[in-house]
Amino acid sequence: MKKIDVKILDQRLGTEFPLPSYATAGSAGLDLRALSDESFELQPGETKLVPTGLSVYIADPNLAAVILPRSGLGHKNGIVLGNLVGLIDSDYQGPLMVSMWNRGNSAFKVEVGDRIAQLVFVPVVQAQFNIVNEFEKTDRGEGGFGHSGKK
Ligand SMILES: O=c1ccn([C@H]2C[C@H](O)[C@@H](COP(=O)(O)OP(=O)(O)OP(=O)(O)O)O2)c(=O)[nH]1
Ligand SMILES: [Mg+2]
């Protein structure tokens, strides 16, 4: 497993609430908790930036992390992310924040320490543009956006 430097910014993390960890051997995501000062209610349509109580410094430019919704919250409660997906750059050292969005029709209560989203580390390839006039031909060519139909 890759070692990533983490700063604990809220002392309730690691004491009152466990640090993010993989729930099972095959888990891809680490659940992030709401380390807000107090519990709150997210009204339908509302977004709120919620601290997770930690910062990570990925350091390796060939890695990044993404913050994704938890499927249960997203599907059952309409609780997803205001930015749809959060992207954490390898050189970011600030507090890890979750933009919570209630896209549902009812208010949603968040208690301090609740697991609100998940963090997934992903490999990254940084590309350098090579300017050309013509691409090498492919079967698809410029076809896209459903041009091959449904069936
Ligand atoms: O859900 C998120 C998304 C981003 N970030 C942090 C880490 C990321 O590296 C930084 C910048 O994110 P991004 O580049 O997506 O936002 P931006 O609007 O382009 O801001 P900037 O001008 O700071 O790059 O904000 C979070 O803490 N949570
Ligand atoms: Mg940016």
Side-chain angles (χ1 to χ4, degrees):
M1 264 201 222
K2 177 93 177 170
K3 295 262 190 226
I4 302 280
D5 285 351
V6 172
K7 270 190 199 166
I8 296 177
L9 305 177
D10 188 314
Q11 294 313 313
R12 293 172 298 176
L13 206 56
T15 54
E16 225 175 299
F17 307 111
L19 282 167
S21 66
Y22 294 106
T24 64
S27 292
L30 299 147
D31 283 349
L32 299 170
R33 293 174 187 273
L35 270 292
S36 43
D37 291 339
E38 47 196 28
S39 62
F40 59 91
E41 218 174 52
L42 209 57
Q43 300 306 318
E46 195 184 353
T47 54
K48 187 179 166 74
L49 207 51
V50 180
T52 62
L54 52 86
S55 55
V56 295
Y57 174 36
I58 300 171
D60 179 351
N62 294 123
L63 283 180
V66 287
I67 298 178
L68 300 174
R70 294 185 64 205
S71 22
L73 289 183
H75 182 68
K76 294 183 196 149
N77 306 104
I79 299 299
V80 292
L81 304 173
N83 46 357
L84 304 187
V85 174
L87 176 63
I88 313 304
D89 298 287
S90 69
D91 53 358
Y92 180 70
Q93 299 182 321
L96 212 57
M97 306 293 287
V98 173
S99 170
M100 289 187 81
W101 174 30
N102 183 353
R103 64 161 181 79
N105 299 316
S106 28
F108 184 77
K109 179 88 189 277
V110 180
E111 305 282 356
V112 177
D114 280 357
R115 290 177 290 132
I116 53 171
Q118 52 186 331
L119 184 72
V120 179
F121 290 96
V122 290
V124 167
V125 176
Q126 284 186 330
Q128 196 174 33
F129 286 139
N130 176 43
I131 312 286
V132 296
N133 288 321
E134 294 296 335
F135 292 132
E136 198 179 309
K137 259 194 149 18
T138 67
D139 287 344
R140 173 179 287 276
E142 294 186 4
F145 296 92
H147 91 294
S148 61
K150 271 191 178 171
K151 301 212 188 267

